[in-house]
Amino acid sequence: MSGAGLEGLYQQIILDHSKQRHGDGPLASAAAEHHEYNPTCGDELTMRIRLDESGERLAELAWQGDGCSISMASASTLVDLATGLTLDEASVRIDAFRAMLRSQGAGEPDEELLEDAIAFHGVSKYVMRVKCAMLSWVALEACIAEARAAGSSVE
């Protein structure tokens, strides 16, 4: 597929996720919760996670927020990508997503690792939009840290 064709496909993925938001809603009995706010544009989001019985796998992610289509689509895409992953696997993907957004459009991100989240590669060219795309990912990162801290304090 040509570069223009891929860019159009990626734009469509972002539009679809911004309209049909996966994981948008409350989550009862969350293991961790974190709120993020982007003062630059006013986007805000609260991420909640529920772990499986082992305490090492993301059984469910849910978020509630309001913001631009990029931040809302990014959260929706993240839910699809991270649900079912171990905390370590999710952290690897967060790091890969962050590296992609810091690339300023250079390089080829790992599509197998990032799946539909690769659609946000073009966002990396627009510095003011990087925070929008990262909002939910930073919130998930904080939830993972909170869940790990709670798990280690029990032992």
Side-chain angles (χ1 to χ4, degrees):
M1 187 175 282
S2 72
L6 276 177
E7 190 171 315
L9 173 65
Y10 292 162
Q11 288 174 352
Q12 191 60 50
I13 289 170
I14 292 171
L15 287 173
D16 289 349
H17 274 279
S18 71
K19 291 176 184 172
Q20 304 233 339
R21 301 173 178 184
H22 304 174
D24 183 5
L27 177 62
S29 63
E33 174 181 316
H34 184 77
H35 182 79
E36 281 291 318
Y37 174 68
N38 181 353
T40 307
C41 64
D43 294 349
E44 62 181 302
L45 177 138
T46 300
M47 176 70 67
R48 294 174 186 91
I49 62 170
R50 188 173 55 76
L51 304 176
D52 71 354
E53 307 79 39
S54 73
E56 282 299 314
R57 191 170 295 279
L58 295 166
E60 190 173 357
L61 288 81
W63 59 274
Q64 292 175 295
D66 189 34
C68 70
S69 60
I70 290 173
S71 65
M72 300 295 99
S74 184
S76 177
T77 305
L78 176 58
V79 167
D80 289 352
L81 178 67
T83 301
L85 296 178
T86 66
L87 300 180
D88 288 341
E89 290 167 340
S91 294
V92 166
R93 282 162 178 81
I94 291 167
D95 290 343
F97 189 76
R98 181 178 283 119
M100 178 183 73
L101 287 181
R102 289 181 176 166
S103 73
Q104 297 181 332
E108 286 297 318
D110 187 338
E111 188 172 359
E112 283 188 39
L113 190 64
L114 293 174
E115 299 177 13
D116 277 354
I118 199 170
F120 295 88
H121 187 230
V123 173
S124 69
K125 297 174 190 174
Y126 308 99
V127 177
M128 294 302 292
R129 292 308 202 170
V130 168
K131 278 188 172 184
C132 301
M134 278 301 303
L135 198 67
S136 57
W137 297 72
V138 170
L140 176 58
E141 189 172 48
C143 284
I144 290 171
E146 180 183 326
R148 284 184 168 146
S152 66
S153 66
V154 173
E155 297 174 21

